[in-house]
Amino acid sequence: MSFQKEISNALSYITAHGYQIHPEAFKILKNLDSNIMEIIQKVVRFKKNQNDTNIILIEDIRNFCTINISNKFDTLTVSDSKLQDKNIIKTTINETQEFEIISTSEITINKPNYRESFKIIYDSADYIDPEEGINGYISLFKSRFHQSLKILSTRPESKRINKISSIKRKIKQEKNNNYLENNLSVNGNTSIIAGLVMSKRSKKNNIELAIDDLTGIINTIALNEETIKLVSKLTLDQMVMLEIENKGINHVIKNVISPDIPDHIPNKGKSDGYVVLISDLHIGSKYFKEQEFLKFLNWLNSSDNEIVSKINFLCIGGDLIDGVGIFPNQEKELNDSTIYQQMSHLTSLLEQIPKKIQVFVIPGNHDLGRRALPQPAIPKKDAGILYSWKNFSMLGNPSYIELNGVKILMYHGQGLDDIIATIPGLSYSNPAEAMKTLLKARHLSPIYGQRTPIAPEKDDMMVISEIPDIFHSGHVHVMGVQNYRGTLIVNSGTWQDQTPFQQTMGIIPTSGIAIAVNLSTLRPFQIDFSQ
Ligand code: D5M
Ligand code: FE
Ligand code: ZN
């Protein structure tokens, strides 16, 4: 069949099923080299099942194929590695529930001359532009509201969103007309509202939520077991869409719709390359496990290892050093007592990373630079040497990168403290579940005014505007891996032993383990250097 015919058949299929295609999605469709009709049929079937909008977007197409997007940014070519040797990996690969365990000898190398590519898709550091005082926070929340509303607009329920001000006006008018509360004509009506969760009060048999949509604030209540459970998982200051039923002056929650990520097929790399994910080195701390980290560096330099020869990328998710003055009496826990010592210690270790590996670094709450989120990259004046290495990209926290077409969201994870402290059922022992809560809220640090400092940025850069294929965090110091709706969630643990603070908090760290992900399958492996 000619290409034109194939396109025209696909378009007929789309319209025959009551769907439309966005011009940008159409452009991508035309550039595909795979079976267009098959992809369109899958997209339509999926959208029907999901009760999704009738417009086919780029996202929908992307979910069902591998798209070759031209590189707008730097491209790195990693020369062919000598991959003949099939030795079993020297370090142990431990079994955990979430991991698919494969003996390394099962991995075959069939594409020796591949081209590896990376792009920096979004570095929050490039957009930092705070506004002073209260105005800054007003624009931050407005930006959060509008970005999240855009995310929610793909849901069919969003077409019925009512402004909170108009719901309140109606009730007020009726009350002014001296209707008795129980006789209000709005009684029994259901409406959809969408706004930020301003307060959440758990009582014995219900939860009260106040929702603000910039036109007004409305108090709603969850009364039955099912809605109470859904509401209890919402975080303060996150966006949510609610279906409410008016009962007198009460607005009873009937349904809870979080922005969430759609169930999707992630992008996968065309070649067999690996990315290694690590975080929370805490160099300078007495508890930094230097021997284990040296073993890791040694492993990266080994020439006889199959996985190693295919590692082209390394993501470091923050807390590279322990810092100075980060918490009270920290000096008693430091081996390197000055920032200068810590940074040169860091440099002497990172220097040992093979230059063929492209390294992406974001800061954490222990690193140098601004503490409030989003964090600019570790400053050049303190980390000039790292900036001078061509294989290093110093990025802000958070950042999105794309490795062989796989989109990775890197975020240190500070906001997880507030999430774990306030959402029932979450704990430091299961960080991936807490990270899932962030994906559902489509926000990396929704809760304002508690432990995590957030800067009054004009644009809320902590909204998860893109759907990541891999979501990488650290901070918690406990390893966790989970697949959620097609996104691989990874918390990469730490290289620091348990600190006295963590002991009092009951946090048992997972230290000395690196996580390698095969970019062509998104299969995670853990490589344990702790023994
Ligand atoms: O965080 C190390 C660990 O300590 C990690 O599990 C989070 C936890 N942590 C850090 N700050 C707090 C606060 N303020 N409350 C509760 N738990 C916290 P690190 O960033 O490496 O110090
Ligand atoms: Fe840390
Ligand atoms: Zn941290």
Side-chain angles (χ1 to χ4, degrees):
M1 199 190 316
S2 78
F3 180 70
Q4 277 308 331
K5 182 92 183 129
E6 207 178 331
I7 283 280
S8 132
N9 282 352
L11 285 177
S12 309
Y13 184 89
I14 292 169
T15 39
H17 286 78
Y19 285 78
Q20 292 175 310
I21 184 161
H22 191 280
E24 291 300 318
F26 184 57
K27 261 191 223 161
I28 287 199
L29 194 68
K30 285 198 297 189
N31 287 324
L32 292 178
D33 46 13
S34 35
N35 190 335
I36 291 171
M37 190 58 158
E38 197 181 305
I39 290 167
I40 284 301
Q41 284 170 341
K42 281 184 192 161
V43 169
V44 168
R45 215 173 301 140
F46 181 76
K47 285 177 82 76
K48 260 197 191 137
N49 282 343
Q50 294 290 308
N51 237 342
D52 205 355
T53 54
N54 61 352
I55 300 177
I56 296 173
L57 304 170
I58 295 181
E59 196 77 1
D60 298 315
I61 306 273
R62 198 190 259 275
N63 287 344
F64 289 95
C65 61
T66 328
I67 303 170
N68 213 351
I69 304 169
S70 64
N71 280 333
K72 294 188 197 102
F73 298 84
D74 299 352
T75 307
L76 162 90
T77 310
V78 180
S79 61
D80 172 25
S81 343
K82 303 274 176 290
L83 303 173
Q84 284 82 353
D85 202 323
K86 294 219 173 143
N87 283 350
I88 301 290
I89 201 163
K90 296 284 191 303
T91 44
T92 49
I93 296 181
N94 278 354
E95 188 158 351
T96 70
Q97 272 183 336
E98 302 95 339
F99 280 82
E100 194 167 348
I101 301 299
I102 323 176
S103 137
T104 51
S105 57
E106 277 178 40
I107 305 162
T108 52
I109 303 117
N110 44 21
K111 289 175 193 146
N113 280 316
Y114 52 74
R115 214 175 135 79
E116 304 290 323
S117 69
F118 76 88
K119 292 193 236 179
I120 314 293
I121 309 179
Y122 179 86
D123 176 355
S124 57
D126 294 341
Y127 299 90
I128 285 178
D129 180 21
E131 189 168 325
E132 285 308 307
I134 187 80
N135 280 343
Y137 291 104
I138 293 172
S139 32
L140 179 81
F141 277 90
K142 271 191 184 162
S143 159
R144 179 178 304 184
F145 175 83
H146 289 295
Q147 287 187 65
S148 312
L149 194 63
K150 200 166 152 207
I151 293 169
L152 279 170
S153 70
T154 57
R155 304 297 194 89
E157 295 89 344
S158 70
K159 297 194 179 58
R160 289 173 45 217
I161 292 175
N162 288 293
K163 283 187 180 155
I164 289 175
S165 60
S166 72
I167 296 177
K168 290 177 94 169
R169 199 178 319 120
K170 239 187 224 164
I171 294 174
K172 201 169 163 195
Q173 270 166 4
E174 297 212 351
K175 277 210 213 142
N176 286 345
N177 292 342
N178 286 329
Y179 282 113
L180 289 173
E181 228 157 60
N182 294 335
N183 285 335
L184 292 177
S185 74
V186 289
N187 275 352
N189 280 357
T190 64
S191 349
I192 303 279
I193 55 167
L196 302 173
V197 176
M198 288 291 106
S199 71
K200 178 176 156 189
R201 269 188 287 266
S202 297
K203 305 260 173 76
K204 201 168 159 218
N205 296 316
N206 63 54
I207 303 184
E208 289 175 6
L209 274 193
I211 304 293
D212 185 343
D213 74 350
L214 309 183
T215 74
I217 298 178
I218 198 164
N219 293 313
T220 64
I221 187 162
L223 292 172
N224 68 37
E225 203 180 321
E226 198 185 336
T227 52
I228 287 176
K229 198 171 156 206
L230 291 171
V231 166
S232 73
K233 299 249 183 288
L234 296 176
T235 81
L236 270 185
D237 303 326
Q238 81 158 90
M239 183 76 167
V240 69
M241 186 152 69
L242 297 177
E243 184 178 17
I244 51 172
E245 185 182 342
N246 301 319
K247 280 192 177 157
I249 51 164
N250 277 336
H251 303 286
V252 179
I253 300 169
K254 292 280 155 194
N255 197 9
V256 180
I257 303 145
S258 267
D260 216 332
I261 56 165
D263 206 350
H264 64 288
I265 295 168
N267 299 300
K268 288 178 183 164
K270 285 204 168 133
S271 70
D272 214 12
Y274 280 76
V275 59
V276 172
L277 309 172
I278 59 167
S279 60
D280 296 271
L281 281 55
H282 290 267
I283 292 169
S285 161
K286 259 193 202 170
Y287 303 97
F288 168 48
K289 293 185 129 185
E290 183 145 20
Q291 287 317 307
E292 286 76 357
F293 196 67
L294 285 168
K295 265 199 237 171
F296 167 66
L297 292 170
N298 214 6
W299 178 72
L300 283 183
N301 281 290
S302 54
S303 57
D304 57 350
N305 191 292
E306 219 179 270
I307 285 193
V308 170
S309 59
K310 289 188 276 179
I311 294 171
N312 302 309
F313 308 107
L314 170 68
C315 293
I316 311 183
D319 281 359
L320 284 77
I321 58 167
D322 205 51
V324 172
I326 304 290
F327 55 85
N329 298 320
Q330 188 185 15
E331 59 281 4
K332 295 186 189 131
E333 296 182 21
L334 292 179
N335 264 350
D336 303 319
S337 58
T338 67
I339 286 294
Y340 179 77
Q341 285 171 338
Q342 292 184 13
M343 288 308 282
S344 52
H345 192 172
L346 170 75
T347 311
S348 70
L349 291 169
L350 298 190
E351 197 169 49
Q352 297 173 43
I353 296 169
K355 297 292 177 235
K356 70 141 193 153
I357 298 179
Q358 195 67 31
V359 185
F360 303 89
V361 177
I362 62 163
N365 49 312
H366 283 255
D367 293 305
L368 293 164
R370 176 168 102 169
R371 273 297 269 287
L373 291 171
Q375 291 181 282
I378 300 171
K380 208 170 185 172
K381 68 173 172 49
D382 305 298
I385 297 181
L386 304 191
Y387 280 84
S388 73
W389 296 337
K390 286 204 171 58
N391 60 325
F392 268 62
S393 301
M394 305 295 286
L395 308 172
N397 171 33
S399 281
Y400 283 92
I401 57 173
E402 200 177 285
L403 308 180
N404 294 354
V406 175
K407 210 182 282 176
I408 304 184
L409 169 54
M410 292 178 73
Y411 167 51
H412 178 61
Q414 291 93 320
L416 292 168
D417 289 330
D418 293 325
I419 298 290
I420 290 169
T422 54
I423 306 283
L426 294 182
S427 76
Y428 281 105
S429 61
N430 188 355
E433 194 60 27
M435 289 168 71
K436 185 171 119 186
T437 306
L438 300 180
L439 288 178
K440 277 174 166 288
R442 290 293 287 264
H443 201 283
L444 295 169
S445 191
I447 306 179
Y448 176 74
Q450 290 187 18
R451 296 167 218 220
T452 313
I454 296 167
E457 292 293 331
K458 292 190 188 89
D459 185 26
D460 189 343
M461 289 169 253
M462 307 306 286
V463 172
I464 305 175
S465 50
E466 303 252 350
I467 300 156
D469 300 313
I470 300 177
F471 176 22
H472 174 212
S473 287
H475 185 62
V476 176
H477 290 207
V478 177
M479 201 190 61
V481 177
Q482 192 180 325
N483 194 304
Y484 177 61
R485 302 191 132 199
T487 293
L488 178 69
I489 297 176
V490 176
N491 195 298
S492 49
T494 181
W495 297 81
Q496 189 188 34
D497 224 338
Q498 192 186 44
T499 64
F501 170 74
Q502 288 159 16
Q503 200 172 8
T504 61
M505 296 280 297
I507 296 167
I508 301 163
T510 324
S511 52
I513 297 176
I515 294 186
V517 180
N518 182 321
L519 290 166
S520 66
T521 59
L522 296 193
R523 273 180 181 175
F525 300 81
Q526 50 170 318
I527 303 138
D528 191 341
F529 300 93
S530 66
Q531 278 116 31

